[in-house]
Amino acid sequence: MGSYAVERRLGSGGMGEVYLAYTAGGDPVAVKLIRRGRIDPEIRDRFAREAEIVQSIVGTSRVAGYRAHDAFADQPWIAMEFVSGLTLNDYVREHAPLVAMLTASLGILLAEGLQTVHRAGMLHRDLKPLNVIMSRRGPVVIDFGLGAMTASDAASLSTPGWPLGTPRYMPPEQARGESGVTTAADVYGLGAVMVYAATGHDPYDGNSRQKILEKVRDATHSPDLTGLPVELEQLVSSMLAHDPERRPDLTAVQDHLSGLLQKMGRSAKSARRALILETFQDTDNENSVPAVPAPAQNSRLSSEPVEEFEPSIFEPEPEPAPGKPQAQHQIAEQLRDLYAQRTNLLLR
């Protein structure tokens, strides 16, 4: 695709597929390709708008970076920065939900990313655990396909009772197919993602898409917050308010979560690093750098302060210089291993 050499498929959806590809210099990129059966002039235009969106929000560590696109190729494609790491969905499913402190850090960081999107005059409109990568720099938001849609797009591509988006994470106004959805929709999506991160279940569930949509639209049907840490209940409940006017803005969300971290004796910096230590797993084996060890099954971090350091600063120990005693080199190896396993960094 373009100048990129495709290696393998990373995933697929109703509209297209995503592939791992490499530049001529060997840098990895994620290339999104529209399915042939879904290509028409309207889809090409929407795809071009998505490319414009991601180009307009460069310069943030919370959003995957733009590389190139061709909306008018035989099969339209867009190349984005490849972000190594598990999705939040996969991390929680394979390991365990996050404790309150880590969920608070996740919420602050994702709110930062959404603020960048909103300042560019855009919405995401499909924030969910599958669209959050737990990277070596913290959570990164991907997939702005729905954000590229205008109100007329949504009206023409939706059918009655079948609005575009992910029902478990979409706000009531989007579930009703209303036009003029505001930034409050992304606040709702963030609250729903925080519920999943902290509990391992969705705010709403059902045995069909329609059943879930009915629950989301019903103002008398409250979201399921079972298992949500008590420290987060008040904020998350307000973020999931049925009326978008009653939801806090993203600045208020960040302020509340920052205050919560302070009560726990944590700085935002310390909490972010703890989140990375707990959740990052390198999924780009061919381009890996020294990585944080993968967390154990059902691992948890204690409330003790985490030593403040960046995981990426670790480099392989050089071979002992000529004449350096081998025993001294072995002692250095052992000390480094012990340092990496200290209990106040990552408790099993």
Side-chain angles (χ1 to χ4, degrees):
M1 287 174 246
S3 61
Y4 301 105
V6 176
E7 181 174 277
R8 68 177 188 272
R9 190 172 70 173
L10 296 172
S12 62
M15 291 294 296
E17 298 175 313
V18 180
Y19 293 87
L20 174 64
Y22 290 90
T23 67
D27 284 337
V29 294
V31 181
K32 180 178 176 181
L33 185 71
I34 295 297
R35 295 183 188 278
R36 290 186 184 277
R38 303 305 298 269
I39 299 172
D40 60 33
E42 185 177 37
I43 292 298
R44 288 185 184 275
D45 288 343
R46 210 178 95 207
F47 203 63
R49 287 201 297 274
E50 181 179 357
E52 291 174 2
I53 288 175
V54 295
Q55 288 181 77
S56 69
I57 52 180
V58 296
T60 170
S61 59
R62 298 291 141 237
V63 177
Y66 167 85
R67 294 293 179 266
H69 79 282
D70 187 348
F72 302 99
D74 181 41
Q75 279 187 272
W77 57 267
I78 180 171
M80 302 285 293
E81 169 195 11
F82 174 77
V83 182
S84 179
L86 297 176
T87 66
L88 177 61
N89 182 80
D90 289 344
Y91 175 80
V92 171
R93 190 181 69 244
E94 295 175 13
H95 297 276
L98 302 177
V99 295
M101 180 269 292
L102 298 181
T103 304
S105 178
L106 175 79
I108 293 172
L109 293 167
L110 289 177
E112 280 185 355
L114 291 173
Q115 283 180 318
T116 303
V117 175
H118 294 171
R119 281 194 293 268
M122 309 294 179
L123 301 176
H124 190 286
R125 298 211 285 192
D126 196 24
L127 190 68
K128 56 187 177 182
L130 279 170
N131 284 342
V132 177
I133 304 294
M134 304 308 295
S135 78
R136 69 176 73 249
R137 64 179 188 251
V140 174
V141 179
I142 61 172
D143 199 348
F144 287 82
L146 282 189
M149 296 181 63
T150 63
S152 60
D153 287 333
S156 63
L157 294 176
S158 298
T159 57
W162 199 268
L164 291 175
T166 307
R168 288 179 172 86
Y169 297 92
M170 82 171 56
E173 62 271 26
Q174 190 171 333
R176 291 190 294 266
E178 295 179 5
S179 59
V181 173
T182 68
T183 56
D186 283 344
V187 172
Y188 183 100
L190 176 57
V193 166
M194 290 173 64
V195 170
Y196 179 82
T199 68
H201 65 74
D202 304 314
Y204 293 97
D205 204 356
N207 56 14
S208 71
R209 178 185 174 95
Q210 189 59 40
K211 291 292 185 184
I212 298 170
L213 285 171
E214 290 173 2
K215 291 180 181 179
V216 173
R217 293 167 182 153
D218 184 357
T220 65
H221 198 113
S222 300
D224 181 5
L225 303 184
T226 305
L228 187 70
V230 64
E231 304 97 317
L232 298 170
E233 284 182 0
Q234 180 183 355
L235 174 66
V236 172
S237 293
S238 67
M239 295 170 72
L240 297 178
H242 195 83
D243 181 357
E245 296 295 327
R246 301 186 63 182
R247 296 172 204 152
D249 61 23
L250 290 172
T251 298
V253 169
Q254 288 178 299
D255 289 345
H256 185 100
L257 292 174
S258 295
L260 179 59
L261 288 179
Q262 289 178 359
K263 291 178 182 179
M264 295 178 176
R266 294 281 189 153
S267 67
K269 181 179 179 183
S270 167
R272 169 186 169 272
R273 288 172 175 174
L275 180 65
I276 294 170
L277 278 170
E278 178 75 358
T279 61
F280 174 63
Q281 295 183 38
D282 194 355
T283 55
D284 180 24
N285 295 327
E286 295 218 357
N287 292 273
S288 60
V289 298
V292 177
Q297 187 76 10
N298 295 325
S299 65
R300 283 292 191 274
L301 286 176
S302 78
S303 58
E304 296 180 23
V306 170
E307 194 76 16
E308 297 198 351
F309 68 92
E310 286 286 353
S312 60
I313 66 172
F314 289 117
E315 297 292 344
E317 181 76 10
E319 290 300 317
K324 181 179 180 180
Q326 184 66 25
Q328 183 179 345
H329 174 69
Q330 291 173 346
I331 291 172
E333 289 270 355
Q334 293 170 0
L335 287 174
R336 191 177 70 257
D337 290 341
L338 287 172
Y339 180 84
Q341 298 171 21
R342 288 188 303 169
T343 57
N344 67 332
L345 286 179
L346 187 61
L347 296 180
R348 299 303 186 195

